[in-house]
Amino acid sequence: MGDAHRIGVVGLGVISRAYLDTLVGHPAVRITAVADLDASRSAAVAAQLPGVQALSVEELLRSPDVDTVLNLTVPAAHAEIALGAIAHGKHVYGEKPLAAELTEARTVLEAAAKAAVGVGCAPDTVLGTGVQTARAAVEAGAVGRPLFASAVMVTPGHERWHPHPDFYYTAGGGPLLDMGPYYLSSLVHLLGPVRAVIGASSRLRTERVIGSGPRAGERIPVEVDSHVSGVLEHEGGTLTTITTSFDGVATTAAPIEVHGDKGTLMVPDPNNFDGDVRLLELGEREKGWRTLLPSAGYVGAARGVGLLDFVASDGLRAPRASGELALHVLETMTALLRSSAEGRRIELSTSVERPVPVPLTPPPEWR
Ligand SMILES: NC(=O)c1ccc[n+]([C@@H]2O[C@H](COP(=O)([O-])OP(=O)(O)OC[C@H]3O[C@@H](n4cnc5c(N)ncnc54)[C@H](O)[C@@H]3O)[C@@H](O)[C@H]2O)c1
């Protein structure tokens, strides 16, 4: 425990529980401090975790007992907290998106490079056996040459279950910035970076109704588009059509499909760590879809595994859930929205190396 990497958590809302479940007691890390704008939340969490201090946000960012700030605040605060951590010489690993706006995200990465600290960013679900097994299959030639792909995320909206869903409908939210990182990070793993996009989006309802918690029934304004679709041109020439929507009740479409000249691969929901990867090979329609055995990825992983991967990389290799990947994903998303607004194809200015694949890693080796 003596050399454990010290983590300070900022933002103690809904998703913080999942991270704490993974990180508390893990031998590689030690949570030393927690902070939230709402001091009652940090006090409540610290009371449950011996040795963890409840601090103000500023105190945590300055604390000499924190090596990496885990930033679990809402998207509009991601850049501000990240820059505060970097200014105090700390690494930062945060929830997605990297920032609410592309310019802010670039500023974060530039500041980190100057300060010689690392930036990591969710999602880490794509490091689980679902997306990693699919990637291994594509790389092994299971579909032959990938020619095109599709990605579909349809939900009636998080306000149905989240008790304070305002951030999903303000800058940094919307179906693409909220859920797109899972799909786009997966697509970079599977097919490589994106060179250009064409987008179209809509906002046909101006209010949403909170469905749970103390504010149930309250109407909240919609300040971003709630349905976004588009086409991505990957650098290798593959085209992906993407739909992300808070406007549909349900869909039967596969979350992601990769089509090649020898087969079609169904990739499980990239918002989860695992799930069945299924393959139908050309000429095998009668045999039907075959489920592939997990062959890559962190087995039984949960939120926080990307931070463990980030801490373990420690200058030896690039972290897989990296700031550079998150910047490319954010540029892809903001370019889709800009393309929609301007009615034209947009070429991206960023690219990224595909992250190093995750070999099949059973729980004793990462937990
Ligand atoms: N809820 C989920 O299921 C889920 C899943 C995956 C990722 N995420 C991501 O996690 C992040 C947080 O989501 P959530 O659902 O936990 O939100 P939440 O609203 O439940 O929690 C956010 C917390 O951050 C605090 N906060 C906001 N601004 C702050 C600031 N400037 N300084 C300190 N604290 C601040 C809030 O007080 C709140 O406690 C978002 O980026 C979201 O996209 C959420």
Side-chain angles (χ1 to χ4, degrees):
M1 226 33 187
D3 292 322
H5 191 92
R6 296 164 306 172
I7 308 285
V9 187
V10 182
L12 301 165
V14 173
I15 202 59
S16 62
R17 180 44 55 195
Y19 278 86
L20 294 175
D21 284 349
T22 303
L23 301 175
V24 171
H26 192 285
V29 293
R30 183 157 58 93
I31 296 177
T32 52
V34 292
D36 194 291
L37 278 185
D38 179 345
S40 71
R41 291 192 183 171
S42 42
V45 172
Q48 299 291 314
L49 301 174
V52 176
Q53 279 189 292
L55 300 177
S56 71
V57 174
E58 185 51 34
E59 284 168 342
L60 186 146
L61 297 178
R62 273 193 279 114
S63 169
D65 289 331
V66 171
D67 301 312
T68 291
V69 170
L70 173 58
N71 183 4
L72 305 181
T73 59
V74 293
H78 284 177
E80 175 198 332
I81 298 297
L83 288 169
I86 293 164
H88 290 97
K90 298 184 187 344
H91 309 290
V92 58
Y93 180 97
E95 254 306 333
K96 47 75 190 168
L98 182 54
E101 288 176 13
L102 186 60
T103 45
E104 289 179 334
R106 287 191 202 276
T107 310
V108 169
L109 288 199
E110 282 162 16
K114 257 194 207 144
V117 296
V119 176
C121 188
D124 54 5
T125 48
V126 301
L127 306 180
T129 50
V131 170
Q132 290 298 314
T133 297
R135 173 175 173 176
V138 171
E139 283 175 3
V143 299
R145 181 177 176 199
L147 300 172
F148 72 99
S150 60
V152 180
M153 191 294 299
V154 172
T155 159
H158 298 328
E159 74 279 12
R160 292 171 60 80
W161 59 270
H162 198 291
H164 22 95
D166 314 68
F167 73 86
Y168 290 118
Y169 295 99
T170 58
L176 184 62
L177 263 71
D178 177 52
M179 297 301 285
Y182 299 106
Y183 293 79
L184 292 165
S185 304
S186 301
L187 288 163
V188 173
H189 273 271
L190 291 163
L191 300 172
V194 175
R195 70 175 171 220
V197 303
I198 298 172
S201 59
S202 63
R203 187 188 321 176
L204 297 182
R205 291 177 289 171
T206 55
E207 285 184 336
R208 312 289 290 221
V209 180
I210 300 180
S212 73
R215 295 169 60 202
E218 184 181 325
R219 291 178 177 280
I220 54 171
V222 176
E223 294 170 11
V224 291
D225 287 356
S226 53
H227 180 93
V228 186
S229 57
V231 178
L232 318 172
E233 286 175 37
H234 294 270
E235 283 179 11
T238 315
L239 294 185
T240 297
T241 54
I242 184 166
T243 300
T244 62
S245 187
F246 284 165
D247 284 340
V249 172
T251 179
T252 56
I256 297 176
E257 280 179 354
V258 179
H259 301 268
D261 54 358
K262 296 204 175 100
T264 292
L265 194 75
M266 278 171 56
V267 182
D269 185 346
N271 189 18
N272 297 329
F273 289 86
D274 50 19
D276 286 346
V277 178
R278 300 172 70 209
L279 175 67
L280 188 73
E281 285 162 292
L282 188 66
E284 301 287 339
R285 192 170 275 279
E286 278 176 17
K287 276 198 209 157
W289 292 87
R290 185 158 64 83
T291 301
L292 306 186
L293 287 176
S295 64
Y298 292 113
V299 180
R303 281 195 164 80
V305 75
L307 172 61
L308 295 170
D309 181 276
F310 175 80
V311 167
S313 67
D314 196 22
L316 304 172
R317 58 164 169 82
R320 292 182 170 97
S322 70
E324 288 74 18
L325 173 58
L327 180 71
H328 181 64
V329 164
L330 184 63
E331 190 190 15
T332 305
M333 298 189 296
T334 51
L336 277 165
L337 293 169
R338 196 152 61 85
S339 166
S340 167
E342 297 175 7
R344 66 184 183 93
R345 174 179 176 275
I346 291 186
E347 289 188 10
L348 303 193
S349 64
T350 63
S351 184
V352 68
E353 294 273 324
R354 292 166 77 195
V356 180
V358 183
L360 194 67
T361 309
E365 289 174 34
W366 68 263
R367 249 190 217 288

